[in-house]
Amino acid sequence: MTLKGMVTGMRNVLGRHIGKLFYDKGISFDAANSPYFPPMVSAIQRAELGIKPPMTYELSGPILDEEVDEVKKWTEEYKQSWSRTNITLMSDGWLNKVSKNEFFNFLIYSPKGTAFLSSKDVSRIKKDANFLVRLYDQIVEEVGDKHIV
């Protein structure tokens, strides 16, 4: 068998194993477009023989904790950039068709990227002009009016 044939065969084996995980757990095929997917595959390829995959408790415990810490660090760096770049406050609303709950989501846009800020359940609230002014005032106070353009 040629080297090209061996590589093609190994790629097929890898694809089949990845596919089985996706099919078994109902993972969206779009997950393969995640920027985290190729580095994961590369890390697996570099792993030494005998290295076992993480257990459920590791994924839901220490590994998750490390990711939370990384996101918090990124968020702090993101907030520090606001004074230099300013931000745009964005919002949208949506209705959960099953529970009938209504939500407003708030996002921050800056040259560093877009980040989710918060979500408010507004299901049992009269959504008039006074309510919207109070809601936006809370969000502006939270991020600081001097940063918003």
Side-chain angles (χ1 to χ4, degrees):
M1 179 178 273
T2 67
L3 179 59
K4 183 178 179 182
M6 287 174 36
V7 168
T8 300
M10 287 306 296
R11 186 171 189 279
N12 187 49
V13 169
L14 175 64
R16 299 267 321 268
H17 284 286
I18 291 170
K20 286 179 188 211
L21 172 67
F22 277 54
Y23 313 142
D24 180 57
K25 292 301 174 188
I27 299 170
S28 167
F29 299 133
D30 189 53
N33 293 325
S34 166
Y36 302 107
F37 188 72
M40 177 193 71
V41 173
S42 294
I44 292 169
Q45 291 170 329
R46 289 190 310 272
E48 295 180 23
L49 291 177
I51 300 236
K52 296 189 184 308
M55 305 293 286
T56 302
Y57 78 90
E58 293 170 302
L59 289 169
S60 64
I63 294 172
L64 178 59
D65 293 343
E66 288 178 33
E67 289 300 312
V68 168
D69 289 344
E70 186 175 312
V71 168
K72 285 180 180 177
K73 180 181 173 196
W74 181 89
T75 302
E76 283 308 310
E77 290 172 6
Y78 184 75
K79 286 180 179 180
Q80 295 301 320
S81 74
W82 294 356
S83 61
R84 295 185 309 278
T85 63
N86 291 322
I87 59 172
T88 300
L89 180 62
M90 301 185 304
S91 67
D92 71 349
W94 63 280
L95 171 67
N96 181 321
K97 292 180 182 177
V98 175
S99 69
K100 305 291 188 218
N101 287 351
E102 297 176 81
F103 297 91
F104 278 176
N105 295 325
F106 294 92
L107 301 105
I108 300 291
Y109 171 80
S110 80
K112 192 171 173 97
T114 302
F116 173 80
L117 181 63
S118 65
S119 184
K120 308 284 184 189
D121 184 345
V122 296
S123 303
R124 292 159 189 76
I125 301 171
K126 180 180 176 189
K127 285 158 265 325
D128 60 10
N130 290 330
F131 163 75
L132 291 172
V133 168
R134 284 193 315 273
L135 182 60
Y136 279 90
D137 277 349
Q138 289 173 359
I139 299 299
V140 168
E141 190 171 313
E142 187 177 323
V143 299
D145 63 350
K146 64 182 177 267
H147 303 304
I148 298 175
V149 289

